[in-house]
Amino acid sequence: MTICLAQLRRCSAAVDLGAARTRVYVKNQGLVVDEPTVAAVNTRTGSLLAVGAQAEVMDGRTPDYIKVVRPVSNGTVVDIDMAQRLLRHLVGDKLRKTWRRRPSMRAAVCLPYGSEPLAQRAAVETLTGLGARRVELVDTLVAAAVGCGLPVEQPEATMIVVCGAGTTQVAVLSLGSIVAAETVPVGGNAIDHAVIQHLRLHHELMLPGQSVRPLHLMFAGNGELTPGTTEVHGRDVVSGLARSVHVDTERVRRAIITPLTAILDGIGAVLRRCPPDLVADLGERGIMLAGGSAVIPGLEPMIHEATTMPVHIADRPGTCAVQGLGAMIEGKVQPLHLDPMAP
């Protein structure tokens, strides 16, 4: 995927179809949609009952004829029809009519690094179903770096780690392009699964449902470990009755080290493929963490200890990608012009 800022400036909307949340940025209006990528469907009639936050609350609490679906997995649209219906309701009638009045409406969408042609086609078909006449594809890594305020257009290294729900993307950028990148199949969902398995094996407790982020129960909102123990409510594995246990937060921290180690391996692989001059730049500038799972407790100090580089978390890590894409369509990003030299 190549980025042409001239083409992006013609776009009217920027879309970030994430596995966890869907975000839509409209030109001259800002971020207008930030909802979970979840839909509730009546399997008997095929009708859509709820989308976004309302559907997420239903996850694990529905009768047999209501199914809660997630049409996006690991940043890739796996159900085009459901993704179109989800976006159609999230965007709203008024905004959708405004788009339809523009016959040449263009849209830009973020896609994970190294997306297959089939995944790119699925994203394009999803947006064309909403009325887009042309869809521009942008790497999530580049968009997130721009949203974090990194000088990606300069001839110096910038490193970004985008921690999503299903995957973690690591890249070093220079002169507006990706020098080296790696995608690790570990994200916030894998961390949650590690906590769930810890509670099941060591406390014989099952959490209420996958819609509840276990980390929110274990850790404080500022990303620091809560001292002592934390009370967790769930279902007893043996009896099936409701039960609460006191969980040691230090043991939970050790349980999530294994999936976090895979992220460190990805960072090391990217650094080994970079030229020495760029790695030297990173020693001063450090690593930027973005994505909804960037605030996982223990991730920042672990990366700093493994790389000895400064590690920073973006101000709004969850919306960095769509904000960066929005800055591109607004024309706020100016590339470094490199004119060919005369022979």
Side-chain angles (χ1 to χ4, degrees):
M1 288 175 284
T2 58
I3 298 177
C4 181
L5 293 178
Q7 296 290 344
L8 288 175
R9 292 192 188 100
R10 300 178 183 178
C11 296
S12 303
V15 181
D16 180 13
L17 281 172
R21 301 186 72 87
T22 294
R23 299 176 174 94
V24 179
Y25 184 103
V26 177
K27 199 171 187 177
N28 300 325
Q29 296 187 30
L31 189 64
V32 297
V33 173
D34 187 358
E35 292 281 345
T37 313
V38 187
V41 184
N42 187 329
T43 57
R44 296 175 180 173
T45 62
S47 59
L48 202 62
L49 301 179
V51 296
Q54 294 181 350
E56 190 177 40
V57 175
M58 299 180 183
D59 195 8
R61 298 178 174 88
T62 60
D64 294 338
Y65 67 93
I66 297 179
K67 184 179 181 181
V68 177
V69 297
R70 300 177 182 270
V72 180
S73 176
N74 297 338
T76 302
V77 179
V78 294
D79 188 340
I80 297 176
D81 179 64
M82 187 55 62
Q84 289 179 348
R85 297 174 67 184
L86 173 70
L87 271 175
R88 191 174 293 113
H89 284 79
L90 289 179
V91 168
D93 294 335
K94 182 178 180 180
L95 188 57
R96 192 168 64 251
K97 292 177 181 178
T98 302
W99 288 2
R100 287 180 176 176
R101 282 196 293 267
R102 301 186 60 178
S104 60
M105 197 278 287
R106 301 188 179 195
V109 62
C110 296
L111 284 180
Y113 172 78
S115 296
E116 298 292 335
L118 188 61
Q120 299 179 16
R121 181 178 177 182
V124 171
E125 290 187 5
T126 299
L127 292 182
T128 52
L130 263 69
R133 300 298 184 265
R134 182 181 175 90
V135 179
E136 302 291 341
L137 305 179
V138 181
D139 276 302
T140 301
L141 290 166
V142 178
V146 173
C148 294
L150 299 177
V152 296
E153 72 281 357
Q154 298 299 322
E156 51 190 23
T158 55
M159 189 171 193
I160 186 166
V161 179
V162 180
C163 306
T167 60
T168 297
Q169 304 173 66
V170 186
V172 172
L173 302 97
S174 179
L175 289 174
S177 300
I178 297 175
V179 178
E182 188 80 14
T183 300
V184 182
V186 172
N189 293 340
I191 307 300
D192 291 351
H193 181 70
V195 178
I196 291 173
Q197 291 299 107
H198 173 78
L199 293 177
R200 184 182 180 93
L201 295 176
H202 297 278
H203 298 277
E204 297 183 348
L205 188 76
M206 295 182 65
L207 289 183
Q210 296 294 340
S211 62
V212 179
R213 289 295 301 268
L215 291 175
H216 294 176
L217 303 176
M218 299 295 175
F219 304 107
N222 57 2
E224 299 292 336
L225 286 171
T226 54
T229 60
T230 301
E231 186 177 8
V232 180
H233 303 275
R235 188 184 73 182
D236 189 272
V237 174
V238 179
S239 65
L241 301 177
R243 184 165 66 93
S244 62
V245 297
H246 290 273
V247 180
D248 185 5
T249 54
E250 178 62 23
R251 296 188 65 181
V252 174
R253 186 188 67 84
R254 292 197 296 266
I256 66 176
I257 286 180
T258 300
L260 290 180
T261 305
I263 300 178
L264 299 181
D265 295 340
I267 294 175
V270 170
L271 291 175
R272 286 191 293 270
R273 296 203 302 267
C274 286
D277 292 342
L278 294 182
V279 178
D281 291 344
L282 295 175
E284 299 179 359
R285 173 163 291 133
I287 302 172
M288 179 67 71
L289 299 182
S293 301
V295 294
I296 292 176
L299 180 59
E300 179 185 0
M302 182 179 291
I303 295 177
H304 174 68
E305 182 179 355
T307 62
T308 68
M309 295 180 182
V311 181
H312 314 282
I313 300 179
D315 294 335
R316 293 175 293 177
T319 60
C320 283
V322 70
Q323 291 290 351
L325 201 54
M328 293 180 187
I329 68 175
E330 295 275 9
K332 299 179 181 179
V333 180
Q334 299 297 328
L336 181 65
H337 294 286
L338 297 175
D339 296 328
M341 299 181 65

